[in-house]
Amino acid sequence: MKEEIIKKAKELENYIIEKRRDFHMYPELKYEEERTSQIVTEELKKLGYEVIRTAKTGVIGILRGSKEGKTVALRADMDALPVQEENDVPYKSRILGKMHACGHDAHVAMLLGAARILAEIKDNLNGTVKLIFQPAEEGGLGAKKIVEEGHLDDVDAVFGIHVWAELPSGAIGIKSGPLLASADAFRVIIKGKGGHGAVPHLSIDPIAASVDLVNAYQKIISREIDPLQPAVISVTSIKAGTTFNVIPETAELLGTIRTFSEEVRNYIIERMEQITEEYSKGMRTEGKFELTMEYIPPTINDENLAKFAKDVLSDIGKVVEPRPTMGAEDFAFYTTKSPGLFILLGIRNEEKGIIYPHHHPKFNVDEDVLWIGSAIYSLLAYKYLEGRI
């Protein structure tokens, strides 16, 4: 059956590419994925799946095998980004200011390919498959909504794939343990006393305090966190003032915190709050630190599922261990309910000029390897339900 699944995936190559290009031309942002969801729904219903709508614009397809057994979930995210595409390709985005710059179009196409394969081998499935076409991965916490709606309550294992610009085309990245970091967003407001730039002693400068705070936050990383515990604090925006000769009343700092450990994350937040408050007092300003985005946990791959996947997938591509990244993924919410494995599929091809990172206006994927994604989804579902783990 393994060889049959791989064969079927290769035969679906044109279908997968066609679907990917269609989704690419009509990108939809988080919770706007109406067209994409409609196409997914129609495809799944034609294949005999039970279809459920979820998380506003999400779709879940349920396929019950010939025998009772476990339930395995396969996830693909669907949303695009507010990026103006700069690629010169026939399937370039036709929606101004929107682009599939992260590869979610490929994820949807690969899972639709797997949907066809699994429907064809339905009688050989010892259990149930849930295909999760998720909205709003890019900042909308679509995965969290799906978990809150209870769709993972009966799931024994969940698998996801992300096309990956750092890996060569066709490479299959599997890593046990931490793979992607947690993510928080923060805002700091510093309130001083405005005045003329020529007489700063008559004012209380919030910009001066803000600059010192940025440096103080970095000392948490360099002097208070174990060097063997990866952690990042990035201040990505400082907004203050409107002209050259006026000291403003307030300054605003925005930024993000990334870690692989909830303990480290909590310590960083506690210290940032303390430093903001106490340093602001020392500089005669008022400082307020707050989190502005709901916490995304780190993505921690299940050790047993990682070993299982390496054994199952070794015949369809080179399996490598990818480096962890401080980027975040809301796939992590699924793993709070069920054992999970997030796999990376390499799509970097220098000969084709496919060299740009995720979220870049020239990001693209090597479509010749997308059939591998469909094979990965299908093989993992079949083998897991077969009881090979």
Side-chain angles (χ1 to χ4, degrees):
M1 181 57 69
K2 185 175 185 178
E3 291 75 15
E4 183 68 17
I5 289 173
I6 295 172
K7 179 174 177 287
K8 289 179 182 294
K10 288 181 178 177
E11 290 172 349
L12 286 171
E13 182 174 14
N14 290 338
Y15 168 83
I16 298 163
I17 292 173
E18 175 190 332
K19 288 300 180 187
R20 182 258 164 171
R21 292 187 175 189
D22 179 67
F23 296 134
H24 191 87
M25 286 189 288
Y26 300 98
E28 298 170 302
L29 303 183
K30 60 185 177 184
Y31 297 121
E32 296 178 359
E33 307 95 330
E34 297 291 353
R35 179 184 183 275
T36 305
S37 293
Q38 183 61 36
I39 293 171
V40 168
T41 297
E42 291 171 358
E43 291 292 304
L44 293 179
K45 285 184 175 179
K46 283 192 295 186
L47 294 168
Y49 283 76
E50 175 188 343
V51 177
I52 300 172
R53 295 303 296 264
T54 180
K56 188 178 179 182
T57 50
V59 179
I60 295 177
I62 300 174
L63 183 69
R64 306 184 195 281
S66 59
K67 298 179 181 178
E68 294 291 327
K70 293 183 175 181
T71 297
V72 62
L74 308 175
R75 178 268 205 163
D77 38 10
M78 302 189 294
D79 53 326
L81 286 159
V83 173
Q84 180 61 41
E85 182 164 11
E86 295 180 4
N87 288 313
D88 184 15
V89 291
Y91 50 88
K92 182 177 180 178
S93 172
R94 297 184 181 180
I95 310 298
L96 188 67
K98 299 179 184 180
M99 176 192 174
H100 270 293
C102 202
H104 298 183
D105 51 343
H107 302 166
V108 180
M110 292 189 303
L111 191 53
L112 282 178
R116 291 182 61 168
I117 296 169
L118 293 167
E120 290 181 20
I121 64 168
K122 175 182 175 180
D123 292 341
N124 299 100
L125 297 178
N126 299 329
T128 300
V129 179
K130 281 190 176 183
L131 306 185
I132 301 174
F133 293 86
Q134 180 204 309
E137 189 278 326
E138 298 288 357
L141 302 183
K144 186 172 187 291
K145 292 184 184 298
I146 290 172
V147 170
E148 289 173 343
E149 290 177 13
H151 298 298
L152 270 288
D153 290 353
D154 62 346
V155 169
D156 296 288
V158 56
F159 297 96
I161 303 175
H162 204 301
V163 292
W164 209 243
E166 293 184 14
L167 292 179
S169 283
I172 302 169
I174 301 175
K175 182 187 181 302
S176 175
L179 179 64
L180 295 110
S182 64
D184 284 283
F186 65 84
R187 175 170 56 226
V188 176
I189 302 294
I190 306 299
K191 184 177 181 181
K193 178 182 177 183
H196 200 295
V199 285
H201 62 291
L202 300 179
S203 302
I204 301 175
D205 189 351
I207 295 177
S210 298
V211 170
D212 287 346
L213 276 175
V214 172
N215 290 324
Y217 295 152
Q218 297 309 320
K219 289 182 175 65
I220 301 173
I221 301 296
S222 65
R223 286 297 175 266
E224 299 185 36
I225 302 298
D226 184 342
L228 301 180
Q229 288 278 5
V232 169
I233 301 172
S234 290
V235 176
T236 56
S237 173
I238 300 178
K239 299 176 183 177
T242 57
T243 189
F244 78 98
N245 62 348
V246 177
I247 293 173
E249 188 86 5
T250 62
E252 178 190 61
L253 285 68
L254 303 177
T256 186
I257 304 164
R258 307 294 174 113
T259 75
F260 286 119
S261 161
E262 189 166 351
E263 182 181 355
V264 171
R265 177 248 182 188
N266 292 340
Y267 178 82
I268 289 173
I269 291 170
E270 180 183 351
R271 289 293 289 132
M272 290 183 76
E273 289 176 334
Q274 291 172 347
I275 290 169
T276 302
E277 181 179 348
E278 297 300 327
Y279 183 80
S280 297
K281 286 181 181 178
M283 291 294 288
R284 301 179 299 147
T285 61
E286 297 177 19
K288 180 183 178 182
F289 172 92
E290 62 179 353
L291 297 176
T292 59
M293 181 185 80
E294 191 166 352
Y295 169 60
I296 299 176
T299 299
I300 311 294
N301 278 335
D302 182 83
E303 181 179 354
N304 291 329
L305 292 182
K307 183 179 183 302
F308 160 75
K310 287 177 182 178
D311 292 340
V312 169
L313 303 178
S314 58
D315 290 345
I316 61 172
K318 182 180 180 181
V319 176
V320 300
E321 181 164 315
R323 294 188 307 166
T325 172
M326 300 308 285
E329 238 285 353
D330 74 358
F331 183 85
F333 286 106
Y334 299 124
T335 65
T336 65
K337 293 292 293 183
S338 307
L341 182 67
F342 199 58
I343 295 171
L344 307 179
L345 176 61
I347 46 86
R348 181 182 179 87
N349 190 322
E350 295 185 10
E351 291 183 2
K352 296 181 180 179
I354 300 174
I355 58 174
Y356 295 96
H358 298 270
H359 294 210
H360 191 282
K362 288 188 177 181
F363 173 83
N364 207 346
V365 305
D366 184 356
E367 295 176 323
D368 290 343
V369 303
L370 296 185
W371 70 269
I372 296 176
S374 295
I376 291 172
Y377 278 130
S378 305
L379 282 169
L380 291 177
Y382 170 74
K383 289 292 186 182
Y384 184 85
L385 294 179
E386 195 181 37
R388 293 301 180 93
I389 185 172

